[in-house]
Amino acid sequence: MFQTFETTSAPEFGAARLAALREQMQTEGLDGFIVPRADAHQGEYVAPHDERLQWLTGFTGSAGFCCALLQSAGVFIDGRYRTQVKSQVDLAHFTPVPWPETSLADWLKTQLPDGGVVGFDPWLMTQGQLEAHEEALSGTGIVLKALDNLVDRIWADQPAPPMSAAFDYPIEYAGKSSSDKRADCAADLKETNDDYAVITLPDSLCWLLNIRGNDVSKTPLVHGFAILGADARVQLFVAPSKVEGLGPDPAIDIAAPEEFLPRLAHISGKVRCDKTSVPVAVIQALQSGGAEITYGNEPCVLPKARKNPIEIAGTRAAHITDASAMCELLCWLDAQPTGLVSEIDVVTQLEQCRRATNALQDISFDTICGSGPHGAIMHYRVTHETSRTLQDGDLLVLDSGGQYLNGTTDITRTVGIGAIGEQERTAFTRVLQGMIAISRIRWPKGLAGRDIEAVGRMPLWLAGQDFDHGIGHGVGHFLGVHEGPQRLSRVSNVPLEPGMILSNEPGYYREGAFGIRIENLVVVTQGDAPEGADAHRDMYDFETLTYVPIQRQLIRTEMLCADEISWLNTYHAACREKLTDLLSASAREWLVQATQPL
């Protein structure tokens, strides 16, 4: 199994670990210390070595941070984790703080009214974050101080940094050679008269060099750093053992990670750094050597987001492979007697179905399989201790994905077990209406996710309801299941462009009762203009990539308009056409029934 069901949260150790951290704070003359869920590469996915937030507090979410003061400790979590955090931290010693509604600066102003010194690890904070914090704290007497990581001092059994071997990612999947990518990114630097760019994001590094690895679970990343020159040469800082199996490239100079900061300190010329990803430690090293720092987008980020035709074709194929596994699972689940199947049973069976495709490399994240009240925990991870048996009347939220050589998948289906109540069916139908609205939308070139995401919320808003996560996130190509910079979110100002892959996943959650989420992946396309369209306007739309039936029994058909019914019937007909020949006999029969027109 790729997924395990062990309990990884340990809130019972929080008090002792917090006390040990405070001893280190007092030794350093600090009033506080910031512990983010981050690593030196500033990616979302971290290795066990870097799970400092989880180790200290017990919180296992993929985003957030703790600010430990001498008399209090806040755990800052966004809307996805406000239910989860309550069961994962010792609430007698850690206080959940709603973030970003409450910023770190706002909280510190109330906790340290007379000022103070708050420490942070300069590898674990970006330059942009530091500047925002310092601006918000201006005039308060609160100072942020960079120093070595205090958690590392007290974490006696901290795992070693990951050292998995990198492997070449063939051009038949990548669609473009590393040398061509380097040339394109170098041309970007020349346009702005920059001599170098610093690259710290592992997915950018893997994309640029057409390599993959296993330094992080469920995401094929290689940890390292790079300096890209305007001459298209790359200085790569990575443990030599990781790249022993790769073919040599005269345009790539390999050095140990320990050489990264000294090299930065001796670099001359204009060096582009992305404030959203480059750690403070990098800026400090560049400043010590007198390099001219320019701030701008890391040159890999947008080209990586705009998938090329081979990547898109591969992703389409990966989604069909993955859909066949999902249909086998849903067929199996439909045949199980009520009251005998557990959440773990479903996760295990789904992984077996994906493995049976003989194409699965890994799952793309721990499967979220929450029944009944667990469905309201947006990022619920089932364990042996929490696993529920599916009961009559439950809604099951099943959010999962696979890593395939030709693409990364992410799909959510909400499944009704037995007879489902009318309020659940009503909420499900509103969520479905939002998903269909995003699927059908067409918009003018230049708009960002924040400009169109409200379309997917409107059916819920009309009922006075909403949900606390974005409509969608970017998705990588055999890389991270979460990838920026594109998002369908009210905070995203990055214009959507053809080739960008995003999730389309509205939801609804009633704490302690049920959850609903429906998710397909989509890719931005420049579609055919309808009759009567403005000839001078470039318009974009979405092509759906995911083809798995949506449970018709949960839909209140009378709530749908004719266009919505037509979309769903067309979608289900496409599911039959694309999947029938890939399924077992029983799953084919199930598919026919599941895709009957409304």
Side-chain angles (χ1 to χ4, degrees), residues 192-204:
T192 54
N193 295 315
D194 291 315
D195 299 299
Y196 302 97
V198 175
I199 299 171
T200 59
L201 290 172
D203 55 337
S204 290

PDB file of all heavy atoms in Angstrom, residues 192-204:
ATOM      1  N   THR A 192      14.776  40.983 -19.388  1.00  0.00           N
ATOM      2  CA  THR A 192      14.762  41.907 -18.244  1.00  0.00           C
ATOM      3  C   THR A 192      16.175  42.303 -17.818  1.00  0.00           C
ATOM      4  O   THR A 192      16.357  42.899 -16.752  1.00  0.00           O
ATOM      5  CB  THR A 192      14.026  41.267 -17.057  1.00  0.00           C
ATOM      6  OG1 THR A 192      14.613  39.978 -16.764  1.00  0.00           O
ATOM      7  CG2 THR A 192      12.557  41.072 -17.365  1.00  0.00           C
ATOM      8  N   ASN A 193      17.169  41.938 -18.648  1.00  0.00           N
ATOM      9  CA  ASN A 193      18.579  42.267 -18.372  1.00  0.00           C
ATOM     10  C   ASN A 193      19.078  41.667 -17.068  1.00  0.00           C
ATOM     11  O   ASN A 193      19.964  42.234 -16.411  1.00  0.00           O
ATOM     12  CB  ASN A 193      18.792  43.788 -18.362  1.00  0.00           C
ATOM     13  CG  ASN A 193      18.541  44.416 -19.721  1.00  0.00           C
ATOM     14  OD1 ASN A 193      18.994  43.896 -20.744  1.00  0.00           O
ATOM     15  ND2 ASN A 193      17.807  45.525 -19.735  1.00  0.00           N
ATOM     16  N   ASP A 194      18.526  40.526 -16.690  1.00  0.00           N
ATOM     17  CA  ASP A 194      19.020  39.798 -15.521  1.00  0.00           C
ATOM     18  C   ASP A 194      20.096  38.817 -15.962  1.00  0.00           C
ATOM     19  O   ASP A 194      20.008  38.213 -17.035  1.00  0.00           O
ATOM     20  CB  ASP A 194      17.879  39.044 -14.836  1.00  0.00           C
ATOM     21  CG  ASP A 194      16.887  39.969 -14.159  1.00  0.00           C
ATOM     22  OD1 ASP A 194      17.329  40.901 -13.470  1.00  0.00           O
ATOM     23  OD2 ASP A 194      15.672  39.763 -14.327  1.00  0.00           O
ATOM     24  N   ASP A 195      21.105  38.654 -15.113  1.00  0.00           N
ATOM     25  CA  ASP A 195      22.191  37.722 -15.422  1.00  0.00           C
ATOM     26  C   ASP A 195      21.912  36.316 -14.904  1.00  0.00           C
ATOM     27  O   ASP A 195      22.373  35.330 -15.493  1.00  0.00           O
ATOM     28  CB  ASP A 195      23.500  38.232 -14.807  1.00  0.00           C
ATOM     29  CG  ASP A 195      23.906  39.587 -15.361  1.00  0.00           C
ATOM     30  OD1 ASP A 195      24.122  39.685 -16.580  1.00  0.00           O
ATOM     31  OD2 ASP A 195      23.980  40.548 -14.561  1.00  0.00           O
ATOM     32  N   TYR A 196      21.164  36.229 -13.821  1.00  0.00           N
ATOM     33  CA  TYR A 196      20.899  34.933 -13.185  1.00  0.00           C
ATOM     34  C   TYR A 196      19.493  34.935 -12.583  1.00  0.00           C
ATOM     35  O   TYR A 196      18.904  35.988 -12.344  1.00  0.00           O
ATOM     36  CB  TYR A 196      21.900  34.649 -12.059  1.00  0.00           C
ATOM     37  CG  TYR A 196      23.345  34.648 -12.473  1.00  0.00           C
ATOM     38  CD1 TYR A 196      24.136  35.787 -12.285  1.00  0.00           C
ATOM     39  CD2 TYR A 196      23.929  33.518 -13.040  1.00  0.00           C
ATOM     40  CE1 TYR A 196      25.473  35.794 -12.660  1.00  0.00           C
ATOM     41  CE2 TYR A 196      25.266  33.513 -13.409  1.00  0.00           C
ATOM     42  CZ  TYR A 196      26.024  34.657 -13.220  1.00  0.00           C
ATOM     43  OH  TYR A 196      27.352  34.668 -13.602  1.00  0.00           O
ATOM     44  N   ALA A 197      19.005  33.733 -12.324  1.00  0.00           N
ATOM     45  CA  ALA A 197      17.794  33.547 -11.527  1.00  0.00           C
ATOM     46  C   ALA A 197      18.060  32.435 -10.521  1.00  0.00           C
ATOM     47  O   ALA A 197      18.701  31.424 -10.857  1.00  0.00           O
ATOM     48  CB  ALA A 197      16.601  33.190 -12.392  1.00  0.00           C
ATOM     49  N   VAL A 198      17.577  32.627  -9.313  1.00  0.00           N
ATOM     50  CA  VAL A 198      17.703  31.602  -8.277  1.00  0.00           C
ATOM     51  C   VAL A 198      16.448  30.745  -8.287  1.00  0.00           C
ATOM     52  O   VAL A 198      15.324  31.261  -8.296  1.00  0.00           O
ATOM     53  CB  VAL A 198      17.904  32.240  -6.892  1.00  0.00           C
ATOM     54  CG1 VAL A 198      17.917  31.165  -5.804  1.00  0.00           C
ATOM     55  CG2 VAL A 198      19.195  33.041  -6.857  1.00  0.00           C
ATOM     56  N   ILE A 199      16.633  29.431  -8.301  1.00  0.00           N
ATOM     57  CA  ILE A 199      15.512  28.489  -8.320  1.00  0.00           C
ATOM     58  C   ILE A 199      15.600  27.617  -7.077  1.00  0.00           C
ATOM     59  O   ILE A 199      16.586  26.890  -6.879  1.00  0.00           O
ATOM     60  CB  ILE A 199      15.543  27.621  -9.593  1.00  0.00           C
ATOM     61  CG1 ILE A 199      15.412  28.519 -10.830  1.00  0.00           C
ATOM     62  CG2 ILE A 199      14.424  26.577  -9.567  1.00  0.00           C
ATOM     63  CD1 ILE A 199      15.637  27.788 -12.132  1.00  0.00           C
ATOM     64  N   THR A 200      14.575  27.688  -6.243  1.00  0.00           N
ATOM     65  CA  THR A 200      14.542  26.887  -5.019  1.00  0.00           C
ATOM     66  C   THR A 200      13.366  25.920  -4.979  1.00  0.00           C
ATOM     67  O   THR A 200      13.353  25.003  -4.160  1.00  0.00           O
ATOM     68  CB  THR A 200      14.472  27.801  -3.778  1.00  0.00           C
ATOM     69  OG1 THR A 200      13.294  28.606  -3.859  1.00  0.00           O
ATOM     70  CG2 THR A 200      15.696  28.707  -3.697  1.00  0.00           C
ATOM     71  N   LEU A 201      12.369  26.134  -5.845  1.00  0.00           N
ATOM     72  CA  LEU A 201      11.204  25.243  -5.849  1.00  0.00           C
ATOM     73  C   LEU A 201      11.557  23.913  -6.501  1.00  0.00           C
ATOM     74  O   LEU A 201      12.002  23.883  -7.651  1.00  0.00           O
ATOM     75  CB  LEU A 201      10.049  25.889  -6.606  1.00  0.00           C
ATOM     76  CG  LEU A 201       9.377  27.089  -5.945  1.00  0.00           C
ATOM     77  CD1 LEU A 201       8.395  27.741  -6.903  1.00  0.00           C
ATOM     78  CD2 LEU A 201       8.665  26.670  -4.667  1.00  0.00           C
ATOM     79  N   PRO A 202      11.338  22.787  -5.818  1.00  0.00           N
ATOM     80  CA  PRO A 202      11.706  21.492  -6.398  1.00  0.00           C
ATOM     81  C   PRO A 202      10.958  21.166  -7.684  1.00  0.00           C
ATOM     82  O   PRO A 202      11.525  20.549  -8.588  1.00  0.00           O
ATOM     83  CB  PRO A 202      11.354  20.491  -5.282  1.00  0.00           C
ATOM     84  CG  PRO A 202      11.338  21.292  -4.032  1.00  0.00           C
ATOM     85  CD  PRO A 202      10.876  22.657  -4.428  1.00  0.00           C
ATOM     86  N   ASP A 203       9.665  21.556  -7.786  1.00  0.00           N
ATOM     87  CA  ASP A 203       8.942  21.223  -9.010  1.00  0.00           C
ATOM     88  C   ASP A 203       9.479  22.021 -10.196  1.00  0.00           C
ATOM     89  O   ASP A 203       9.520  21.521 -11.330  1.00  0.00           O
ATOM     90  CB  ASP A 203       7.436  21.406  -8.837  1.00  0.00           C
ATOM     91  CG  ASP A 203       7.043  22.789  -8.361  1.00  0.00           C
ATOM     92  OD1 ASP A 203       7.877  23.478  -7.760  1.00  0.00           O
ATOM     93  OD2 ASP A 203       5.890  23.183  -8.588  1.00  0.00           O
ATOM     94  N   SER A 204       9.935  23.256  -9.959  1.00  0.00           N
ATOM     95  CA  SER A 204      10.558  24.026 -11.034  1.00  0.00           C
ATOM     96  C   SER A 204      11.867  23.374 -11.470  1.00  0.00           C
ATOM     97  O   SER A 204      12.171  23.289 -12.663  1.00  0.00           O
ATOM     98  CB  SER A 204      10.823  25.465 -10.576  1.00  0.00           C
ATOM     99  OG  SER A 204       9.619  26.175 -10.426  1.00  0.00           O
TER     100      SER A 204
END
